[in-house]
Amino acid sequence: MEATFLRQENIKVKKIWETICKEADVSLKKSNYMKGYFEKNILDHSSFGNALSYNLAVKICNSDFDLDYFISILDKQMSNFPHICDYAIDDLVAFYERDPACHWFYQPFLFYKGFIALQAHRIGNVLYNNGDIDLSLYLQMRVSEVFSIDIHPGATIGKGIMFDHAHNLVIGETAKIGDNVSILHSVTLGGTGKIRGDRHPKIGNNVLIGAGAKILGNISVGECSRVAAGSLVLKSVPSFKTVAGVPAKEVGSSGCPEPSKTMDQLLSRNYSTLSKVQ
């Protein structure tokens, strides 16, 4: 299996994995307590994919499955669907670049539940889309139990995603999230009742969603927009706009081409770039 991963992983994945191994080698020398942990979770593995499947399995497997068997299930999905590792690397870079508390690539990989839960979802999503519904729901359940993050395996999530802190994050079955999106904790992408079918929000590329925001129904949040913390969004948001309040209303432009990367959540900016970004 490891040889398969080595063939499939692209250059970017290999470079980030080499960086993670170097970081771990440096960090384990600084602590007598973490040496075994770094070896077991990073340095004992020959590829990013194998280390990722091991880390996910150790964190979410319970007595329902034998650990080695569970690892093999995750390994198989990442081998059959190489985009899982590719997207995971883009997510890892997003955490590293956008979170000022993140100083090493290995930190989200090992310690950030938003990153870990997202990768478990990516595996659950391919299982769900290929008919393994029950196993995908099992993964959803275990991630929810362990991390208090509930993402339905049917939800579609792009790459370069950062779930910052991520506690109490809820994403419904028919939600769609574009690329390079940043979402903070206690956000809900939910429905408005018990109707079936397409009933959850669609989030465009480069969107920033602040802590505690609730976006409900089959509505869209346009690309490069911002949703202020604590907002209740019940109607679609145009691109390049900021919305705030309960219920949310437009309060100005998004102020920059990629709000998810700047992570600027203040509303009282004198944005001079409005004409440029629109």
Side-chain angles (χ1 to χ4, degrees):
M1 184 64 69
E2 293 211 0
T4 301
F5 273 127
L6 289 174
R7 286 196 301 271
Q8 289 182 343
E9 288 183 336
N10 64 30
I11 294 175
K12 182 168 66 173
V13 175
K14 290 179 180 179
K15 286 185 175 180
I16 294 294
W17 175 241
E18 289 172 359
T19 299
I20 290 173
C21 290
K22 291 177 181 177
E23 291 176 347
D25 192 53
V26 170
S27 292
L28 68 83
K29 295 174 182 176
K30 298 178 181 179
S31 172
N32 294 327
Y33 304 109
M34 295 295 288
K35 182 176 185 295
Y37 185 85
F38 280 118
E39 290 175 343
K40 183 170 60 176
N41 290 280
I42 293 177
L43 297 174
D44 287 349
H45 303 279
S46 61
S47 72
F48 178 81
N50 287 115
L52 181 58
S53 60
Y54 175 84
N55 275 273
L56 292 175
V58 166
K59 288 179 172 64
I60 64 178
C61 186
N62 64 8
S63 59
D64 293 327
F65 285 87
D66 173 78
L67 178 60
D68 288 338
Y69 178 59
F70 199 71
I71 293 171
S72 72
I73 293 173
L74 304 186
D75 270 341
K76 183 177 180 181
Q77 309 317 309
M78 283 190 270
S79 179
N80 291 341
F81 302 94
H83 77 275
I84 295 173
C85 285
D86 295 342
Y87 281 25
I89 289 296
D90 289 332
D91 300 336
L92 202 60
V93 172
F95 276 86
Y96 181 80
E97 292 181 344
R98 300 175 205 170
D99 184 353
C102 180
H103 306 291
W104 306 80
F105 283 106
Y106 74 72
Q107 290 175 327
F109 183 80
L110 294 178
F111 306 132
Y112 288 18
K113 68 179 184 179
F115 174 82
I116 297 164
L118 177 56
Q119 308 322 311
H121 165 77
R122 296 200 186 285
I123 293 175
N125 182 249
V126 298
L127 289 167
Y128 184 85
N129 290 333
N130 286 277
D132 289 309
I133 305 298
D134 292 330
L135 182 54
S136 72
L137 293 174
Y138 175 84
L139 288 176
Q140 177 192 5
M141 176 192 72
R142 288 297 298 144
V143 168
S144 179
E145 290 174 344
V146 174
F147 299 120
S148 295
I149 299 170
D150 194 355
I151 309 173
H152 193 282
T156 301
I157 300 178
K159 59 187 177 180
I161 305 299
M162 184 178 75
F163 291 156
D164 193 16
H165 297 286
H167 195 71
N168 290 338
L169 175 64
V170 176
I171 299 176
E173 178 188 15
T174 61
K176 293 183 179 180
I177 299 174
D179 296 335
N180 302 315
V181 172
S182 293
I183 300 178
L184 281 79
H185 56 282
S186 297
V187 165
T188 297
L189 305 182
T192 57
K194 64 178 185 179
I195 59 171
R196 297 181 182 272
D198 195 358
R199 61 195 183 279
H200 295 107
K202 312 298 182 283
I203 310 300
N205 298 335
N206 304 304
V207 168
L208 172 62
I209 303 178
K214 313 301 177 187
I215 306 174
L216 305 179
N218 186 15
I219 59 177
S220 62
V221 176
E223 63 176 339
C224 306
S225 289
R226 299 188 305 164
V227 177
S231 296
L232 174 62
V233 183
L234 299 174
K235 62 180 182 179
S236 292
V237 178
S239 299
F240 298 104
K241 296 295 183 181
T242 294
V243 297
V246 180
K249 298 179 181 179
E250 288 184 29
V251 295
S253 77
S254 58
C256 65
E258 296 176 306
S260 62
K261 293 183 179 180
T262 63
M263 297 294 291
D264 185 351
Q265 300 178 66
L266 297 180
L267 301 181
S268 58
R269 299 292 193 190
N270 181 17
Y271 293 121
S272 61
T273 57
L274 176 58
S275 61
K276 296 180 180 179
V277 298
Q278 289 185 316

